[in-house]
Amino acid sequence: MDFHLTDDQRALRAGVHELLAGRFPRERLRAAVDAYEAADGGPVLDRALWRELADAGFFSLLLPEAEGGAGLGLPEAVLVLEEAGRALLPGPLVAGVLLAGAVDGVAAGERVAGLCDAASAPALWEHPSDCDEVIVVAEHAAYRCAPDGLRTAPVRSVDPLTPLARLLDGPSGAPYAADVPRLRREAVLLTAAQQLGGAVKALEAAVAYAGQREQFGAPIGSFQAVKHLCAQMLVRVELARSAVYAASVTEDPAEVSGAKLLADEAAVRNARDCLQVHGGMGFTWEADVHLLLKRAWLRAESWQSAAAGEEALAAALADGHIAV
Amino acid sequence: MDLTYTDEEEDFRARLRAWLREVLPKLPDRPAATDWPGRRAYDTAWQRLLYDAGYAGLHWPADAGGRGATPTQHLIFLEETERAGAPYVGANFVGLLHAGPTIAAEGTAGQRARWLPPILRGEEIWCQGFSEPDAGSDLAALRTKAVRDGDAYVVSGSKTWTSHAEVADWCELLVRTDPEAPRRRGISWLAMPMDAPGITVRPLRTLTGTAEFAEVFLDEVRVPVANRIGAEHDGWRVTMVTLSFERGTAFVGEVVACHRVLVALARKARDNGRWDDPVLRRRLGHLAAEFAALWRLTQWNVSEAQHRGGVPGAGGSVFKLRYSHARQELYDAAAEVLGAGSLDADHEWFADRLSALSYTIAAGTSQIQQNIVAERLLGLPKGR
């Protein structure tokens, strides 16, 4: 047993971090927020950035090498999406990674595919104006739809970088042949990976601010009340990381549920505590903390809510389908 | 990220399981919690069985008489002994996890030869004389003084929270040898024989109703200078070298046990109808995620130790913070499942609910652990 990252996995994570730091730095994040507000519900994805990500192999991660992909597995996809979450990178990334082999043009970044969970209520669809094709996933089946074939109502999204629309009808369109439980499980896991990255970012931002902001003649990070907030943020990150990484290796349904549950908690609680550490600054639009929190709230409702996760785990516990 | 065990590791597990199947049925009944001589005899007999089978000091370095096993083999040992219901480390705890590793790391060849083999063979029991009434979280405030008199130190003061003091042969004792020096530079580490004149042991009854600890009063106790481990006044550093062992793998078996309790809780709740309450179900579901993740975090920390040549990392503090809290949550959930039945002090979960209260205090309170995590892992500035 060696649970640690291999050298290749470390290099992959560092490479993605570097790529995103260069292509999607804070200025670009804030510019995207401004652009979204100006667009008023229109497309927000930067297609040039999307193609750059594709060129770097972002969406062809899981594709076999024979199909032009990297032939990697879920552990690597988790590392990549963790970094995406840490950078607050917007867009239907999970759909891109999971549909690259099924929807033409997705692997190359030329077309954007969306995934919509029709089993949730309300059924929300991310980036409706950006998608060229959407796979609607019902409880046990999936359907392939053209974006203009879906009747939707506008929803003003909590997250300034993730526009939403609400599906008005049940799933329809051409059947999409897929192992639906697996597709759902992988969507849950990769969403959890993004939450893990968001939790890491919130911790980093809180620690940086606590080390620099002075009150009472000392950095506020020297006060135990602030230290303890930060320490608990790290505890949440490390617990969620262990759960998410392990679930990516075992793909065990209960373990995936637990990973999402703990990663959601880490992302939301850490963003809240990060906001608290930032004091009044944390309540401003100018600080990035609210973007972290709003993204965490959005992801927490995606694919598996806390209630659904806890019920799934309780059922697994009762049936003996969860082991330590 | 590889969670599968190698053939070698699985072979180790299989041989251990076979051995446990053979020896466990032959063990005598466990003595009562209040029967200290009986507990000592039971725990040391188990240690002797481990020694004869080659499982004693598994994680100790080979040159200290240990087996030089990898951290993963040690993890498997702790996991399998718990699953099989084997005895706990019990009275051997301080010797195997504190005093022994300290002597192995810092003792002379003669000191290692004197003290390590009897620990591994289950012949000698150690207790810990660190905390004092006025030196708890602030351990460096300790005042028990040791004054040189020829080839001995004359030691006076008092220690508290000393487990197994009633039956221990030796005490790993921290004393102040230089009252003038800065606090951490005037402390020495001594091996004190518990039968020396001037030692009074008074059992300390805890809220569980039993006396798991004792107070130890020292009145001009003579301890040979030759019993000092490390240089004079260097005891703080000597102690810190191995203190992290307690937070490394000490709770591996307990995580496995907690999961088992959780499964039993779910079964009990289904039997008594409380399972129909979604709030309770969700609470148990959440705990299932917690303990599964704590198990993975343990494997993560063990893998890290393996990469660092067996030395446990700071991840132990992170683990302890979450685990101690989760254990309390588990037994609070148990009380909810039992309802008024949780008031029955003879119920099997009652004693565990009470003892869980000590987990956020012992071996560094959660508040101290959070300071450690914030300063050492996150690099936040020291202060108040």
Side-chain angles (χ1 to χ4, degrees):
Chain A
M1 184 211 55
D2 185 1
F3 194 9
H4 261 206
L5 274 57
T6 62
D7 289 344
D8 283 350
Q9 288 170 337
R10 261 174 231 284
L12 173 69
R13 189 167 67 174
V16 174
H17 180 71
E18 204 173 307
L19 173 81
L20 292 176
R23 304 289 161 82
F24 195 69
R26 175 168 193 269
E27 307 79 69
R28 203 135 169 203
L29 167 72
R30 297 305 305 214
V33 173
D34 296 343
Y36 169 71
E37 292 202 291
D40 196 24
V44 297
L45 276 196
D46 177 342
R47 291 290 185 128
L49 174 64
W50 205 254
R51 273 188 298 273
E52 283 181 63
L53 294 174
D55 288 345
F58 221 91
F59 304 119
S60 48
L61 273 174
L62 297 175
L63 284 185
E65 288 180 72
E67 293 173 35
L72 295 171
L74 283 176
E76 286 78 18
V78 154
L79 294 175
V80 169
L81 282 162
E82 177 188 344
E83 284 303 325
R86 189 172 161 205
L88 268 172
L89 185 67
L93 297 160
V94 171
V97 171
L98 294 180
L99 301 176
V103 178
D104 287 343
V106 168
E110 280 150 16
R111 297 177 74 235
V112 175
L115 264 175
C116 176
D117 181 6
S120 71
L124 296 178
W125 170 22
E126 294 180 13
H127 292 273
S129 305
D130 292 302
C131 291
D132 300 307
E133 191 162 333
V134 60
I135 303 296
V136 178
V137 187
E139 195 78 58
H140 303 293
Y143 305 88
R144 189 187 284 263
C145 305
D148 54 7
L150 291 169
R151 274 204 326 131
T152 62
V155 173
R156 203 164 70 82
S157 174
V158 62
D159 176 6
L161 285 178
T162 311
L164 295 171
R166 179 164 57 89
L167 296 197
L168 292 174
D169 306 315
S172 62
Y176 171 71
D179 179 345
V180 173
R182 181 176 167 188
L183 181 62
R184 286 191 162 277
R185 200 163 64 231
E186 292 179 348
V188 169
L189 177 67
L190 296 185
T191 305
Q194 290 176 296
Q195 292 285 57
L196 170 62
V200 170
K201 180 68 190 175
L203 169 64
E204 290 169 340
V207 168
Y209 191 79
Q212 151 234 314
R213 166 75 173 168
E214 293 195 3
Q215 288 288 275
F216 304 101
I220 60 170
S222 66
F223 306 136
Q224 291 195 17
V226 175
K227 275 194 180 126
H228 292 187
L229 282 177
C230 295
Q232 288 297 340
M233 291 167 79
L234 179 69
V235 171
R236 289 185 205 111
V237 162
E238 293 303 316
L239 198 72
R241 185 190 303 285
S242 301
V244 170
Y245 287 5
S248 78
V249 174
T250 66
E251 298 179 47
D252 171 74
E255 195 148 22
V256 170
S257 283
K260 174 75 166 37
L261 182 67
L262 296 175
D264 285 342
E265 257 178 31
V268 172
R269 290 298 329 167
N270 279 16
R272 291 282 293 270
D273 287 351
C274 180
L275 199 157
Q276 186 69 22
V277 168
H278 276 72
M281 272 309 293
F283 196 64
T284 65
W285 185 266
E286 177 196 338
D288 298 339
V289 189
H290 71 106
L291 301 175
L292 277 166
L293 179 58
K294 291 166 180 173
R295 184 70 56 84
W297 277 338
L298 183 115
R299 299 268 177 257
E301 292 301 328
S302 302
W303 297 106
Q304 178 193 277
S305 66
E310 286 169 348
E311 286 286 14
L313 283 154
L317 195 59
D319 298 340
H321 287 155
I322 184 167
V324 158
Chain B
M1 287 182 226
D2 184 2
L3 290 170
T4 57
Y5 292 87
T6 64
D7 288 347
E8 222 181 339
E9 288 161 350
E10 288 297 358
D11 182 52
F12 175 83
R13 186 193 300 276
R15 278 184 290 124
L16 174 60
R17 277 185 183 169
W19 180 74
L20 288 167
R21 266 196 306 273
E22 184 199 321
V23 298
L24 292 184
K26 299 180 200 154
L27 290 185
D29 287 342
R30 286 187 196 208
T34 49
D35 176 10
W36 278 103
R39 283 173 66 173
R40 176 189 161 121
Y42 184 86
D43 293 347
T44 53
W46 170 243
Q47 182 61 27
R48 179 70 204 201
L49 281 175
L50 290 173
Y51 178 83
D52 289 340
Y55 291 116
L58 211 50
H59 59 305
W60 283 21
D63 64 1
R67 314 299 299 182
T70 63
T72 301
Q73 286 173 325
H74 189 216
L75 176 78
I76 293 170
F77 173 81
L78 294 168
E79 180 190 349
E80 291 299 331
T81 46
E82 170 57 40
R83 287 194 202 285
Y88 298 109
V89 62
N92 302 296
F93 181 88
V94 174
L96 286 170
L97 278 101
H98 276 270
T102 302
I103 294 167
E106 298 287 331
T108 63
Q111 290 171 329
R112 288 151 66 111
R114 165 63 192 86
W115 282 302
L116 298 183
I119 293 174
L120 293 175
R121 290 196 296 256
E123 290 163 3
E124 290 184 344
I125 294 299
W126 285 69
C127 62
Q128 188 182 73
F130 285 7
S131 296
E132 296 180 5
D134 291 325
S137 291
D138 187 11
L139 183 58
L142 64 91
R143 289 202 302 238
T144 293
K145 66 171 182 189
V147 181
R148 275 290 273 272
D149 178 26
D151 59 359
Y153 289 104
V154 179
V155 182
S156 294
S158 60
K159 295 289 177 179
T160 191
W161 304 121
T162 308
S163 317
H164 309 112
E166 294 93 328
V167 294
D169 303 289
W170 295 93
C171 177
E172 52 165 347
L173 189 70
L174 288 183
V175 294
R176 187 157 300 285
T177 38
D178 184 356
E180 308 301 325
R183 299 191 322 163
R184 294 178 181 186
R185 296 200 201 127
I187 294 170
S188 299
W189 197 108
L190 305 180
M192 178 177 74
M194 288 298 285
D195 58 359
I199 300 177
T200 307
V201 174
R202 192 160 74 195
L204 184 63
R205 196 173 182 213
T206 69
L207 58 74
T208 63
T210 59
E212 282 298 309
F213 303 99
E215 296 171 286
V216 178
F217 300 95
L218 308 171
D219 182 15
E220 300 196 342
V221 180
R222 292 186 72 84
V223 180
V225 171
N227 287 17
R228 191 188 68 230
I229 303 295
E232 189 168 60
H233 313 319
D234 197 28
W236 183 263
R237 187 195 59 79
V238 167
T239 304
M240 291 305 141
V241 167
T242 46
L243 209 57
S244 57
F245 272 75
E246 190 169 4
R247 298 175 202 135
T249 45
F251 304 113
V252 168
E254 292 193 8
V255 174
V256 175
C258 282
H259 179 75
R260 192 170 53 226
V261 170
L262 194 55
V263 171
L265 270 181
R267 197 177 306 123
K268 177 78 184 171
R270 297 229 286 192
D271 289 348
N272 71 15
R274 285 174 201 264
W275 189 253
D276 295 338
D277 174 3
V279 176
L280 176 72
R281 272 202 315 271
R282 287 187 57 180
R283 194 172 173 185
L284 297 182
H286 195 279
L287 281 166
E290 290 257 340
F291 285 109
L294 283 164
W295 176 248
R296 297 308 189 189
L297 181 57
T298 301
Q299 290 180 312
W300 180 268
N301 287 340
V302 164
S303 295
E304 182 182 276
Q306 198 129 307
H307 282 275
R308 295 157 53 111
V311 181
S317 286
V318 169
F319 175 88
K320 185 186 180 272
L321 269 171
R322 190 69 175 231
Y323 170 65
S324 55
H325 183 72
R327 187 178 175 90
Q328 292 175 355
E329 293 279 306
L330 173 69
Y331 286 104
D332 286 345
E336 190 176 343
V337 170
L338 294 174
S342 68
L343 304 178
D344 176 358
D346 286 326
H347 194 280
E348 58 170 323
W349 292 331
F350 183 78
D352 288 327
R353 188 183 192 198
L354 292 180
S355 69
L357 299 171
S358 74
Y359 279 63
T360 47
I361 298 168
T365 66
S366 293
Q367 286 64 40
I368 292 293
Q369 299 288 354
Q370 287 175 117
N371 288 349
I372 290 172
V373 166
E375 290 169 13
R376 295 194 203 153
L377 298 185
L378 297 176
L380 286 170
K382 284 191 179 289
R384 291 292 124 187

